[in-house]
Amino acid sequence: MRTLASFWRDIAIAIVALAVLVYVGIAAETPWTRDFLTSLFAYGLLAMSLNLLIGTTGLVSFGHAAFFALGGYAFGLLLQSSGFLATFGPGAVPVAFVLAVAITAVWALVVGLICARLSEIYFAFLTLAFQMFLYSVVLSWVGLTGGDQGLMGGIPRPVFLGIDLSDPIHRFVFCAAVFVVSILVLRVVTASPFGYTLRLIRDNPRRAAFLGINVLRAKVISFVLAGSVASVGGIILALFTSGAYPEWMYWSQSGQAIFMIMLGGINQFFGPLLGAVLLRFLNDMVLAYTEYTELATGVAILLVVLGLRRGILDFVVDLVRNRRERTQQSEASASLKRGPDVSPDNKAATLETVTPRA
């Protein structure tokens, strides 16, 4: 009953969040706000999906951006195919969306079945190896992917259900809805019994196996879910840029997602999203004055790690919790020092309580 109540509460929060995002996007006087939020939707999903592996399952992946880029490439290549457009007509965009996520999920399943058998550093570097393999394929297969130039010529976006994705407002509302739904899916997964199973595997995989949990299967499911949500982020970015580029699946893209998690907080659900907001905002602000964005990002990460020793949201939550505990301890100590309440009113109440009634 309590879980069901939490589910409906999350649904209500998601509807309110979508309404706020749509209002901000439509009311924005300059395109910068919509552009910033749309890129935030893409990179926010990349970071949030990666934290399903790192924060919830305990799997540090260095190759997560491969799924992000694969979603964008698959979506763009399908819509650039004249045969695909002729076959599905107005429904080409939603069909390409579903197929792109499905293709990424299949690739994540293959990679997950191999990598999830390993642990810690071996898992991390094997995921990186798969990412760089995919990166090499994209660079080498120039006839299909455009090589280092990416998908050229734009991505056709035929109108479906009255939604014209070439229109900035329509595109923003569509991307905002997809983003909110994806975040809701991640929230439901992490708050479900399966999410608690993943945390048990993260904390003590041997105990989980002793309790009868199929640890490998749970890790693979988590890996596929995270890869699928990351591919949705890549699709949003492909819609936004009307293309797909090999830089999206370079190792530095995965590193940037890890920076977002470290900056925002690994133990809070919205920590990676906060990190994405801060990192994208910092990147845009620094670009306005200098091209040394990596230097500014590195300094910001150093300040947070050395100063707070955890992500910003983790620090804030710990600070509030510690203050609350200190306040409760102070109140308990003060109550002990005062001793029992012997006032006349309290005596009367006590006698009334203990005296048997006729």
Side-chain angles (χ1 to χ4, degrees), residues 299-314:
V299 171
I301 295 295
L302 278 176
L303 289 175
V304 171
V305 172
L306 295 178
L308 304 181
R309 298 179 183 276
R310 76 205 80 169
I312 293 174
L313 204 55
D314 287 342

Side-chain angles (χ1 to χ4, degrees), residues 213-231:
I213 296 172
N214 190 326
V215 175
L216 176 62
R217 184 170 61 187
K219 284 183 177 179
V220 171
I221 292 174
S222 174
F223 198 83
V224 173
L225 281 173
S228 301
V229 175
S231 75

Side-chain angles (χ1 to χ4, degrees), residues 251-288:
W251 67 268
S252 58
Q253 194 69 67
S254 296
Q256 195 175 47
I258 294 175
F259 286 161
M260 292 173 184
I261 295 172
M262 292 173 60
L263 191 61
I266 194 172
N267 296 317
Q268 304 303 320
F269 180 73
F270 288 109
L273 189 58
L274 174 65
V277 172
L278 295 176
L279 206 60
R280 297 306 302 172
F281 186 76
L282 180 66
N283 185 67
D284 286 3
M285 290 298 103
V286 172
L287 269 179

Side-chain angles (χ1 to χ4, degrees), residues 6 34 36 68 96 106 192 239 299 353:
S6 301
R34 285 190 293 273
F36 176 79
F68 177 77
V106 171
S192 68
L239 277 172
V299 171
T353 304

